[in-house]
Amino acid sequence: MAYQRKLEALGYMKINDFNVFCDEDFRSLVVWLEDQVIRQYAIEDRAPLRTIASPDWEDAFKTYLNAVSCPFSDREEVADWLLGLAVRLEYGDNVEKYKAITAESVNQTSTNIPQVTL
């Protein structure tokens, strides 16, 4: 899955069965990203995005894409772009936490994991 690493990095709850072409999955992701990471809108202004079953959701979404300056309109590209934005914002909020992570420390951690043999 193309989005799995970004979804996992952000702590999204539906990593393995996220379907960008499912309206409910896609709309839920957009709302979650806005609520948890991006936070472009004030909480009270997120209501139109949160009503994912509304026939007006697409209009609210287009307005949101303009607000975050997303250059794409294709659903797959938009999902990838929003996830990338969220990852950048998450990193920016936690620079010190992520500065300590190096390839060497990741490799060392993975070598310290007990191996199970069958």
Side-chain angles (χ1 to χ4, degrees), residues 76-105:
E76 290 176 281
E77 292 173 328
V78 167
D80 189 54
W81 189 88
L82 287 174
L83 285 165
L85 173 62
V87 168
R88 285 190 304 276
L89 291 171
E90 182 67 20
Y91 174 79
D93 287 347
N94 298 291
V95 172
E96 292 305 314
K97 173 182 168 185
Y98 295 114
K99 276 172 73 174
I101 300 173
T102 64
E104 183 179 300
S105 68

Side-chain angles (χ1 to χ4, degrees), residues 5-6 15 17 24 32 38-40 47 51 57 70 72 80 86 90 94 98-99 108-109 116 118:
R5 289 178 58 197
K6 290 177 185 174
I15 296 171
D17 58 348
E24 184 177 347
W32 185 85
I38 298 173
R39 299 183 296 270
Q40 175 71 27
T51 53
W57 191 88
C70 179
F72 301 106
D80 189 54
E90 182 67 20
N94 298 291
Y98 295 114
K99 276 172 73 174
Q108 187 176 40
T109 302
V116 176
L118 301 175

Side-chain angles (χ1 to χ4, degrees), residues 18-29 52 57-58 75:
F18 171 75
N19 179 356
V20 73
F21 299 109
C22 170
D23 284 347
E24 184 177 347
D25 283 4
F26 179 73
R27 292 174 179 192
S28 295
L29 174 67
I52 63 172
W57 191 88
E58 286 293 331
R75 185 178 276 206

